[in-house]
Amino acid sequence: MPTIFDELLATFRAFWNGVDNALVHDAVDRIDWEMPERPLTPNALSALRHLDRLAAMPAARPLVELLAGNRGGFRWGQTYTAKDFGQGFIDNYGWLEVFGTRGHFVHDEIAAGVLLLGPHGVYPDHHHVAEEIYIPLTGGTEWRMGNEPFRPRAAGEVVHHLSNVSHAMRTGDDPLLAAYLWRGGPLDQKSVIAARDGN
């Protein structure tokens, strides 16, 4: 009988398969979806309260409903501590790795999951070796990459961060939920916080 984790993987896969983008197609086609489940102890975070007010794009609603309805059943994580970005950030931030080196399913070459950020927050400039593909599932968030200024990204828009390119996100009145794929680098690397002058 399928478990909630099987449903998570199937729903997540269905979302990515529905994205009409050549870069995403290339990444998704390389995934072996027959991956073993990893037993993990569930972990809930303060940020999960934002799941109830996500205005997600239609294609992501089955995934959002699954996450919100089973928020205590998955292992949500945080890479940072209050010493990195402050307690306010920590109380409004978290990620769920569906598969990868730490996720509910084992995959050694690609890590994928969702990032959750509360409203009126900034995920400061950071970078990592792994290439990253993001898709915001909600609107109202601004993103920047390299030396570019922040600019709005629509729900469903593909955001591509190459290896070691600095990037940041800034939320407005609404929380952000974004799906991600990491590949081509250490999949459990803590991002390097990038020094930057101004906003």
Side-chain angles (χ1 to χ4, degrees), residues 4-107:
I4 191 64
F5 307 109
D6 296 326
E7 186 178 353
L8 174 65
L9 184 63
T11 305
F12 195 66
R13 181 181 184 179
F15 167 76
W16 282 103
N17 282 338
V19 176
D20 185 14
N21 176 274
L23 177 68
V24 170
H25 287 173
D26 176 69
V28 171
D29 286 347
R30 296 169 186 260
I31 298 171
D32 179 1
W33 292 94
E34 297 299 319
M35 54 189 86
E37 185 177 329
R38 177 185 285 118
L40 295 175
T41 303
N43 183 51
L45 300 172
S46 174
L48 300 189
R49 68 192 187 280
H50 299 303
L51 290 172
D52 294 322
R53 52 178 300 218
L54 291 172
M57 56 189 279
R61 286 180 191 152
L63 178 60
V64 171
E65 290 171 3
L66 179 65
L67 295 176
N70 298 276
R71 71 190 68 206
F74 300 123
R75 186 173 185 84
W76 290 83
Q78 294 178 318
T79 308
Y80 308 102
T81 68
K83 290 181 180 179
D84 293 312
F85 299 144
Q87 190 61 46
F89 178 85
I90 295 303
D91 290 343
N92 291 282
Y93 147 80
W95 46 259
L96 170 65
E97 186 172 287
V98 177
F99 61 84
T101 57
R102 300 174 291 186
H104 283 285
F105 292 86
V106 179
H107 205 293

Side-chain angles (χ1 to χ4, degrees), residues 98-185:
V98 177
F99 61 84
T101 57
R102 300 174 291 186
H104 283 285
F105 292 86
V106 179
H107 205 293
D108 295 328
E109 297 177 3
I110 298 178
V114 293
L115 169 72
L116 177 64
L117 295 176
H120 302 294
V122 176
Y123 191 153
D125 292 273
H126 60 286
H127 59 88
H128 36 72
V129 175
E131 173 193 12
E132 185 175 54
I133 301 169
Y134 263 119
I135 299 182
L137 308 181
T138 54
T141 306
E142 296 179 322
W143 300 59
R144 76 172 163 210
M145 185 164 45
N147 294 319
E148 298 174 358
F150 277 110
R151 67 183 184 93
R153 296 286 196 164
E157 186 174 351
V158 176
V159 182
H160 185 206
H161 299 142
L162 294 172
S163 175
N164 281 321
V165 172
S166 179
H167 49 279
M169 302 84 140
R170 182 167 67 189
T171 54
D173 292 338
D174 298 313
L176 165 72
L177 187 71
Y180 68 83
L181 291 172
W182 273 35
R183 61 181 184 173

